[in-house]
Amino acid sequence: MKKLLIFVFLLSFVRSYGQTPQINLIPQPVLLKQNEGSYQLTNETTVGFNNPLCGNVAAMLAGKLNTSTGFAIQSMQGKPGSIEFDLNKVAVEKLGKEGYTLVSTSKGVTITANDPAGLFYGMQTLLQLLPKEIESRSTVNMSWVVPAVEITDYPRFGWRGIMLDVSRNFFTKEEVKKYIDEISRYKFNTLHWHLTDDNGWRIEIKSLPKLTEVGAWRVPRYGQFGQRAEPKQGEAATVGGFYTQADIKEVIKYAAERNVTIVPEVDVPGHSMAAIAAYPEISCTKDPNTKVNPGSNFSEWYGNGKFKMLTDNTLNPSDDKVYDFLDKVFTEVAALFPNQYIHVGGDECYKGFWEKDPGCQALMKKMNMKQPEELQAYFMKRVEGILKAKGKKLIGWDEILEGGIAPEATVMSWRGIKGGIEAAKLGHYVVMTPTTFAYIDYQQGEQTIEPLLYAGLRMSKCYSYEPIPEGVDAKYILGGQGNLWTEQISSFTHAEYMTWPRGWALSEVFWSPKESKNWDNFVQKVEKNFDRADIEGINHAVAIYDAIIAVNKKDGKSIITLSSEVPGLDIYYTVDGSMPSTYSQKYVNSFELPEGPVTLRVVTYRSGKTIGHLITLRPEDLKKR
Ligand code: ACM
């Protein structure tokens, strides 16, 4: 089997079969065999299906094809179509719920699956087999050819997620739908919707109307998050927004049609300043002047995982009225979201206000608790009880392990992989989303030119991720997820820029067989996907073309090493302040920076044309490295 896999895998890299088109599928399918020949779409093409459950995907495909081809392709049940979607009458075990087979010949295309989810993914693969112009939103006159292939494909992991933070920056429901559409193309099946935080409460809770009347709005501030001015006395809170329950239902339906499950997050007991602004009585300090935070600094970080909140953003775990509040919230959330999981946060909860609160201290004494972390564990166990009563399962960030994990909790490992390892060893399910491989809010290229953030994560690092930690029983690893926090993201197009292409790397990590990883091949596919995204109007970064500058200090000298993520680029540089070009020094080997206040400029070229951004490191930048 392994030999067969390798053979078929190598076959998939043979890039040219005479006149047959090159195949660039992301994520890489499990088995792909390219045959001679192709099928050409025409106005005579039909889309058929064998079961009413296939109607949605068949209609979706016909609509998409007609937009760019200008044809009037119809979908219909009963008669075999030239593109045929069939549900297997007897399930093929290895395909599971999301797998599919796709066979294209000169006569047409047949996609089969056990479940509509698999047909949806077969459709996405078919679209990627077609010329990139299929993504056009207007008619293009060209030859629409599908190469002849045989594909068998199914996911490595059942949880393939992206988290979108809509609290720090509000995205409209149309934007969220567009995001769902984009992630589903790459076979992500989970949108973790971070709906509440210090900077905005985004989901209508009818029994607690102030959560959105007050909690969804903050004062207008722009610029670096964490350095903005505090709200002024009496200043109107005009920036924000929220989803009505009707909006939420609409988004859930849209997602379900694309095999995307939405996992809502209500982040408690920390990260709750927006809720406290609406209902101050749910905190220990009960400060009626609490405001939704506009991105001002209210915390101190000490670099060892320790921190202090200067403003109280935590719920009071010792107050029964807080659990009544949460019961109301989760009753409505549970009724809206059909999936089994509700994410309850649990991250970065400062315990300092609890340590000063008589009620919390009395509870600790009564329960014989030694550490304030046990208060959070107590809180989470009660929240788990609330969710269980509504038929839901609790998932939270890895801090929920501290002080004793709730009995049936699932853990999202974000502070590296250790939380995931610990949870799995305790027999809890885990979703792997470590900062080091999966935080797509981090800078994706050279730090001086990418939008500012305190850490970096290149696409190659995302691609190198292996979600199953060594020594852990794989059955506990549900899968993985990329997280898009939006403190520094103030528009939807910037959210896209941060997501792509790193999301493509993660899609392959979570879907494709581990054995099929191949960086050079993946980079080629990414470049082809850039063209697709450009046709469709999806923003993406091109940071993979930029030079990577490493500065190593040795005996008081700075040794410069240049490289690039995309193989085979030419790198030119200057150290005399002039603009680098093909007339400048071409990089071959590491070199010593000359003495003096030197400015280093670097740029990449391919085939004699600039392809990367110009990077300028002034003497003060170089000193810091
Ligand atoms: C997190 O990044 N605070 C989960």
Side-chain angles (χ1 to χ4, degrees):
M1 183 63 189
K2 203 161 177 187
K3 276 197 183 130
L4 178 72
L5 262 177
I6 291 168
F7 172 72
V8 176
F9 173 64
L10 288 175
L11 212 60
S12 73
F13 292 158
V14 178
R15 294 187 49 205
S16 162
Y17 284 69
Q19 296 305 305
T20 49
Q22 181 185 331
I23 292 176
N24 298 291
L25 298 173
I26 296 178
Q28 185 70 25
V30 174
L31 294 170
L32 162 63
K33 178 170 181 275
Q34 186 167 2
N35 295 325
E36 290 289 339
S38 58
Y39 170 69
Q40 183 160 0
L41 294 188
T42 67
N43 208 16
E44 312 303 313
T45 297
T46 54
V47 180
F49 54 94
N50 74 344
N51 182 310
L53 292 172
C54 316
N56 173 35
V57 69
M60 213 183 263
L61 178 69
K64 174 97 181 167
L65 297 180
N66 290 340
T67 302
S68 43
T69 62
F71 300 150
I73 295 169
Q74 304 276 335
S75 68
M76 60 199 157
Q77 190 180 346
K79 276 214 318 232
S82 27
I83 300 173
E84 177 71 15
F85 286 103
D86 285 345
L87 281 182
N88 294 322
K89 299 217 163 61
V90 179
V92 176
E93 199 184 337
K94 77 173 169 194
L95 295 182
K97 186 177 160 331
E98 298 182 300
Y100 64 94
T101 63
L102 185 155
V103 177
S104 50
T105 66
S106 58
K107 298 202 171 57
V109 182
T110 304
I111 298 171
T112 65
N114 298 333
D115 190 277
L119 297 179
F120 178 79
Y121 291 139
M123 173 182 76
Q124 296 306 340
T125 297
L126 172 58
L127 290 169
Q128 287 192 32
L129 288 170
L130 278 156
K132 59 186 185 299
E133 289 79 6
I134 205 72
E135 305 299 348
S136 170
R137 293 172 195 277
S138 55
T139 306
V140 183
N141 211 340
M142 63 178 289
S143 152
W144 301 100
V145 168
V146 182
V149 293
E150 293 167 50
I151 292 173
T152 301
D153 199 15
Y154 44 87
R156 181 171 175 210
F157 293 105
W159 185 303
R160 305 180 303 280
I162 295 278
M163 187 212 73
L164 180 65
D165 168 9
V166 295
S167 172
R168 273 51 177 273
N169 185 69
F170 179 66
F171 296 95
T172 64
K173 74 174 173 195
E174 283 74 24
E175 289 168 336
V176 175
K177 282 158 84 173
K178 185 164 191 262
Y179 199 66
I180 288 167
D181 191 59
E182 291 175 17
I183 66 173
S184 69
R185 307 250 188 119
Y186 296 95
K187 304 187 173 79
F188 286 99
N189 67 356
T190 304
L191 179 80
H192 169 174
W193 207 1
H194 185 79
L195 286 163
T196 76
D197 212 301
D198 300 313
N199 317 95
W201 181 285
R202 305 298 180 204
I203 174 170
E204 178 191 28
I205 302 295
K206 290 184 200 270
S207 59
L208 294 162
K210 283 198 285 182
L211 283 174
T212 43
E213 286 166 12
V214 175
W217 305 95
R218 62 170 178 81
V219 297
R221 294 286 183 279
Y222 303 93
Q224 189 70 11
F225 196 94
Q227 294 179 14
R228 300 173 185 170
E230 301 274 344
K232 296 194 210 49
Q233 196 71 31
E235 185 180 1
T238 53
V239 170
F242 65 92
Y243 312 105
T244 65
Q245 295 199 354
D247 292 338
I248 299 263
K249 285 181 192 153
E250 186 181 322
V251 173
I252 291 170
K253 180 170 180 288
Y254 188 86
E257 286 164 0
R258 288 155 183 79
N259 193 43
V260 171
T261 295
I262 301 187
V263 175
E265 180 181 355
V266 173
D267 197 351
V268 287
H271 284 274
S272 293
M273 207 184 295
I276 295 168
Y279 296 100
E281 63 273 20
I282 59 179
S283 66
C284 289
T285 46
K286 303 183 179 18
D287 180 355
N289 290 319
T290 304
K291 298 280 182 285
V292 179
N293 186 272
S296 64
N297 183 19
F298 62 92
S299 58
E300 286 173 359
W301 296 83
Y302 307 121
N304 53 359
K306 304 243 179 318
F307 57 92
K308 177 178 181 178
M309 295 295 167
L310 307 171
T311 304
D312 190 3
N313 68 343
T314 53
L315 306 188
N316 179 354
S318 71
D319 184 351
D320 280 341
K321 289 203 276 311
V322 168
Y323 300 98
D324 295 340
F325 167 89
L326 290 171
D327 194 278
K328 285 184 182 165
V329 170
F330 288 124
T331 297
E332 296 190 35
V333 171
L336 280 168
F337 290 89
N339 103 87
Q340 57 177 342
Y341 277 112
I342 295 181
H343 200 302
V344 297
D347 57 323
E348 298 172 325
C349 175
Y350 177 60
K351 319 285 188 311
F353 297 98
W354 297 356
E355 285 171 320
K356 292 196 195 113
D357 180 72
C360 288
Q361 291 313 302
L363 179 63
M364 282 186 74
K365 205 159 164 206
K366 183 175 144 205
M367 305 291 288
N368 201 21
M369 295 176 189
K370 305 274 180 293
Q371 310 288 339
E373 284 71 26
E374 291 171 77
L375 276 175
Q376 176 159 337
Y378 167 88
F379 174 91
M380 279 300 166
K381 283 173 191 152
R382 286 193 68 170
V383 169
E384 182 173 71
I386 292 172
L387 298 190
K388 265 187 95 160
K390 299 170 203 321
K392 298 293 180 184
K393 281 195 193 161
L394 181 150
I395 182 167
W397 300 111
D398 57 42
E399 286 93 332
I400 66 171
L401 284 154
E402 294 167 4
I405 184 170
E408 293 168 41
T410 297
V411 171
M412 213 167 241
S413 186
W414 74 278
R415 295 175 301 174
I417 61 172
K418 62 183 188 314
I421 295 172
E422 185 185 337
K425 294 209 159 147
L426 292 169
H428 288 259
Y429 288 110
V430 173
V431 175
M432 298 301 291
T433 178
T435 52
T436 37
F437 294 96
Y439 265 43
I440 55 173
D441 59 323
Y442 285 8
Q443 291 185 298
Q444 54 196 310
E446 163 58 36
Q447 65 191 78
T448 56
I449 58 173
E450 285 299 315
L452 214 55
L453 215 102
Y454 55 86
L457 174 63
R458 290 183 187 271
M459 183 182 80
S460 46
K461 187 88 189 276
C462 294
Y463 189 72
S464 74
Y465 185 43
E466 167 46 41
I468 300 183
E470 246 172 72
V472 161
D473 186 342
K475 81 169 185 222
Y476 291 113
I477 308 298
L478 298 178
Q481 183 172 287
N483 290 341
L484 187 63
W485 300 102
T486 58
E487 287 94 335
Q488 308 290 2
I489 296 175
S490 59
S491 69
F492 182 70
T493 53
H494 188 190
E496 290 180 317
Y497 175 91
M498 299 304 282
T499 307
W500 314 119
R502 288 179 295 183
W504 298 336
L506 291 175
S507 97
E508 205 150 304
V509 167
F510 301 145
W511 177 283
S512 305
K514 189 176 161 183
E515 300 73 30
S516 73
K517 260 193 196 166
N518 178 306
W519 173 250
D520 289 358
N521 181 254
F522 180 69
V523 169
Q524 286 177 21
K525 297 193 297 183
V526 165
E527 293 201 71
K528 296 292 176 197
N529 269 265
F530 283 159
D531 298 340
R532 249 167 216 274
D534 291 342
I535 286 174
E536 201 183 353
I538 296 173
N539 196 18
H540 59 83
V542 286
I544 57 168
Y545 295 118
D546 295 344
I548 301 172
I549 305 175
V551 184
N552 288 304
K553 302 274 180 353
K554 201 172 156 209
D555 305 329
K557 313 262 188 225
S558 292
I559 310 297
I560 308 293
T561 306
L562 305 178
S563 59
S564 64
E565 286 193 281
V566 175
L569 302 186
D570 299 320
I571 308 176
Y572 293 88
Y573 67 94
T574 64
V575 290
D576 63 358
S578 64
M579 283 297 178
S581 68
T582 49
Y583 302 108
S584 313
Q585 189 70 40
K586 185 172 176 181
Y587 178 78
V588 184
N589 280 319
S590 296
F591 60 92
E592 190 182 309
L593 204 64
E595 292 282 333
V598 168
T599 292
L600 172 67
R601 292 187 202 270
V602 184
V603 71
T604 52
Y605 274 72
R606 185 155 66 187
S607 308
K609 294 215 161 50
T610 46
I611 190 156
H613 296 103
L614 170 68
I615 301 173
T616 300
L617 297 188
R618 298 193 187 277
E620 58 275 20
D621 300 317
L622 287 161
K623 213 179 278 170
K624 276 191 243 149
R625 300 216 171 185

